[in-house]
Amino acid sequence: MRKILLVAAMLLSGCDGCDKVKQLANINKDIEYKETVDLPGLPGGDTVVPAGGISADLPRYAMATNSAEYLKQYNTSPNLVTHVKLKSLGMTIVAPDAQYFNFLDSVRLFVNATGLPEQLAAYKYNIAKGMKTVDMNVADLNLKEYFLKDSMYFRINAHFTAIPNDSTKLEIKSVFNILANPLN
């Protein structure tokens, strides 16, 4: 109620408060996604990593955005979304229990969607030994067009320094921030 009175007062006072009114109308929500992916063997069936390591791409995986449902839930529409940004992304080894990220020293995650170019969305270099979770650095990208698609696709490129256990499973947890404004 207080917000409504403040908006009404600003509208009555003219456009001096237009920017403030517009700011108050922002819909700013964090949306969390979790995916579990299998870490397949290295390309070529390598059982020994050469000196200096090997860079390899893991199979691309799809993530349903459910954007239509989220927009409906927050009473907004695609044309009112101003940005969607990746706020955080972390990978955790969920199986086997004794596995750590000791098998790689860097990882990059790329995003794409149908009709859109692939972009580097997150990365982590110099991964410390003994880690079960890696929190990645996220790129400052507006992923609005990717989020508005039915699915986004992710490709992981990693630099392996050892062979991971072939039963390794990763949980990838991402948080996207969506900003929409009905006054746009």
Side-chain angles (χ1 to χ4, degrees):
M1 182 68 172
R2 187 175 171 200
K3 230 182 190 183
I4 293 170
L5 291 174
L6 182 60
V7 169
M10 288 179 165
L11 287 174
L12 292 174
S13 69
C15 269
D16 292 340
C18 287
D19 287 340
K20 291 220 185 267
V21 170
K22 196 170 181 179
Q23 241 180 352
L24 288 171
N26 279 346
I27 298 166
N28 192 341
K29 298 290 181 186
D30 287 345
I31 300 171
E32 183 177 302
Y33 296 94
K34 285 184 187 176
E35 295 288 327
T36 301
V37 296
D38 292 324
L39 188 65
L42 293 179
D46 292 331
T47 56
V48 177
V49 174
I54 184 174
S55 289
D57 290 330
L58 303 182
R60 184 174 93 144
Y61 70 92
M63 181 184 81
T65 63
N66 302 314
S67 58
E69 289 84 8
Y70 284 119
L71 295 176
K72 184 177 178 183
Q73 177 183 345
Y74 299 126
N75 298 315
T76 191
S77 63
N79 61 318
L80 300 177
V81 174
T82 51
H83 83 246
V84 176
K85 296 202 177 195
L86 180 59
K87 188 173 178 179
S88 66
L89 189 134
M91 294 189 322
T92 301
I93 295 177
V94 293
D97 288 337
Q99 182 72 64
Y100 295 91
F101 279 110
N102 297 349
F103 54 84
L104 57 86
D105 63 7
S106 64
V107 63
R108 298 181 306 163
L109 183 126
F110 296 87
V111 61
N112 67 18
T114 304
L116 297 172
E118 183 177 79
Q119 296 195 59
L120 176 64
Y123 59 92
K124 184 70 174 187
Y125 304 121
N126 302 316
I127 297 170
K129 301 295 182 207
M131 305 293 293
K132 283 194 84 70
T133 297
V134 173
D135 292 320
M136 299 175 70
N137 302 313
V138 295
D140 185 21
L141 299 172
N142 186 350
L143 298 172
K144 170 186 169 181
E145 298 304 320
Y146 298 79
F147 175 77
L148 293 176
K149 299 281 186 174
D150 291 335
S151 294
M152 287 188 275
Y153 299 92
F154 294 96
R155 178 177 63 86
I156 296 173
N157 174 269
H159 188 260
F160 292 89
T161 57
I163 304 294
N165 184 309
D166 63 358
S167 64
T168 301
K169 290 187 182 300
L170 303 176
E171 179 183 80
I172 300 173
K173 180 180 172 185
S174 56
V175 177
F176 287 82
N177 176 261
I178 179 172
L179 178 67
N181 192 304
L183 300 179
N184 279 343

